[in-house]
């Protein structure tokens, strides 16, 4: 299953085909402007997925606050709108019991935290957790991208355009910065056999140029587009990824 341009789909990567099983509840004109971005499975097995402007729109008009954060219920595939008028949904996480929800809107440069009630399916008490402009005052656009959160409440957050992953706690105290030989840092994952690895995805500088020829053997200059592994000095108490609870 993949989150695609118009909704949730079954994908066959060998045949390079997708078949939609659910479409987001938007009109045709809006659907053409949007695509899926980052998402997460919550502790109860439901899918949360954010949409944003698709590439042809962003090239012409930039990113507009037309996005939506949806919750897709695993039991009946019903769709609930959780947040509207978003820009770039990224970096989602729950705490261990699911009572706290963390969500990144990259162009606000902020990670937002909410209280979450799974009985009512409602978010409340929205407030900023960390604003990357305070962490990177010298940067014009320090965009928080994908993140991981440990069971200890420690975040490992990729910051697009900075060459850095930052580690910070639930009090927004920055504990460490991991420097990579790539500018566009996109997401993180925690794990490894001994629970002491940080995996980091990056984007190539020419990602937006669809007709460009990229040589993966070229190790000169910016090394975006590679997957990196960082060996950490201690175990991180990583949280297991939740699984989709539907069929």
């Amino acid at each position: 299953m993949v989150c695609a341009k118009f909704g949730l789909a079954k994908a066959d990567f060998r045949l390079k085909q997708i078949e939609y099983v659910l479409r987001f509840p938007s009109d045709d004109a809006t659907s053409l402007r949007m695509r899926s971005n980052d998402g997460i499975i919550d502790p109860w097995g439901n899918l949360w997925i954010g949409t944003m402007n698709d590439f042809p729109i962003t090239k012409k008009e930039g990113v507009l606050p037309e996005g939506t954060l949806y919750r897709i219920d695993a039991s009946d595939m019903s769709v609930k709108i959780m947040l509207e008028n978003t820009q770039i949904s990224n970096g989602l996480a729950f705490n261990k019991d699911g009572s706290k929800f963390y969500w990144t809107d990259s162009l606000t440069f902020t990670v937002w935290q909410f209280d979450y009630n799974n009985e009512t399916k409602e978010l409340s008490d929205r407030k900023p957790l960390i604003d990357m402009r305070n962490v990177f005052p010298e940067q014009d656009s320090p965009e928080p991208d994908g993140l991981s959160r440990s069971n200890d409440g420690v975040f490992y957050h990729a910051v697009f355009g900075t060459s850095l992953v930052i580690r910070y706690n639930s009090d927004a105290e920055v504990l460490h910065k991991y420097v990579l030989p790539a500018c566009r840092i996109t997401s993180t994952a925690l794990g490894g056999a001994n629970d002491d690895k940080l995996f980091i995805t990056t984007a190539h500088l020419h990602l937006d140029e669809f007709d460009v020829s990229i040589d993966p053997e070229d190790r000169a200059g910016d090394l975006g587009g590679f997957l990196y592994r960082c060996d950490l000095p201690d175990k991180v108490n990583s949280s297991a990824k939740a699984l989709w609870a539907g069929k």
Side-chain angles (χ1 to χ4, degrees):
M1 300 294 283
V2 297
C3 292
K5 177 174 176 61
F6 299 113
L8 188 63
K10 292 188 291 186
D12 188 323
F13 291 104
R14 291 171 300 175
L15 299 176
K16 298 181 179 179
Q17 295 177 348
I18 65 171
E19 176 187 349
Y20 282 97
V21 297
L22 179 147
R23 290 187 175 246
F24 298 133
S26 56
D27 58 57
D28 291 344
T30 301
S31 295
L32 289 173
R33 295 178 61 84
M34 310 304 290
R35 66 171 175 86
S36 297
N37 202 52
D38 205 355
I40 193 173
I41 304 295
D42 70 22
W44 300 271
N46 309 294
L47 171 64
W48 297 53
I49 180 68
T51 61
M52 64 171 289
N53 291 127
D54 206 348
F55 292 106
I57 303 300
T58 60
K59 283 193 171 185
K60 293 179 181 178
E61 305 176 35
V63 178
L64 302 174
E66 299 179 343
T68 304
L69 179 66
Y70 296 106
R71 176 188 179 277
I72 301 174
D73 196 296
S75 63
D76 59 7
M77 298 295 283
S78 60
V79 181
K80 178 177 174 60
I81 294 174
M82 306 304 296
L83 295 169
E84 295 183 278
N85 307 122
T86 65
Q87 296 181 82
I88 303 180
S89 280
N90 262 319
L92 304 91
F94 286 87
N95 67 348
K96 193 169 184 179
D97 67 5
S99 62
K100 295 287 185 183
F101 174 63
Y102 305 92
W103 169 76
T104 304
D105 194 355
S106 293
L107 289 186
T108 67
F109 308 105
T110 302
V111 183
W112 301 91
Q113 60 181 341
F114 303 79
D115 291 335
Y116 177 61
N117 185 326
N118 190 55
E119 295 297 321
T120 63
K121 314 297 187 292
E122 297 292 338
L123 295 170
S124 61
D125 194 25
R126 174 175 175 163
K127 56 188 176 184
L129 171 62
I130 188 170
D131 187 328
M132 294 302 171
R133 291 168 294 192
N134 297 330
V135 181
F136 299 94
E138 73 286 356
Q139 293 277 349
D140 292 332
S141 186
E143 300 176 24
D145 208 314
L147 64 78
S148 302
R149 181 184 182 277
S150 75
N151 283 323
D152 298 324
V154 176
F155 297 80
Y156 295 76
H157 209 145
V159 187
F160 192 85
T162 68
S163 300
L164 293 170
V165 170
I166 66 168
R167 175 164 57 94
Y168 58 91
N169 60 24
S170 297
D171 295 321
E173 178 187 6
V174 177
L175 307 173
H176 194 76
K177 295 180 179 180
Y178 304 88
V179 185
L180 288 94
C183 177
R184 294 177 159 185
I185 315 301
T186 54
S187 196
T188 67
L190 298 169
N194 296 315
D195 200 23
D196 60 356
K197 310 297 182 192
L198 171 64
F199 299 93
I200 305 163
T201 61
T202 64
H204 198 277
L205 285 179
H206 298 287
L207 171 70
D208 303 330
E209 302 170 28
F210 298 143
D211 57 350
V212 72
S213 178
I214 296 174
D215 179 6
E217 300 302 321
D218 182 4
R219 305 297 172 89
D222 186 276
L223 297 182
F226 289 98
L227 171 66
Y228 291 85
R229 186 195 74 202
C230 179
D231 298 331
L232 303 174
D234 301 298
K235 291 187 176 183
V236 294
N237 192 17
S238 60
S239 56
K241 295 294 185 182
L243 301 178
W244 170 247
K247 294 181 180 179

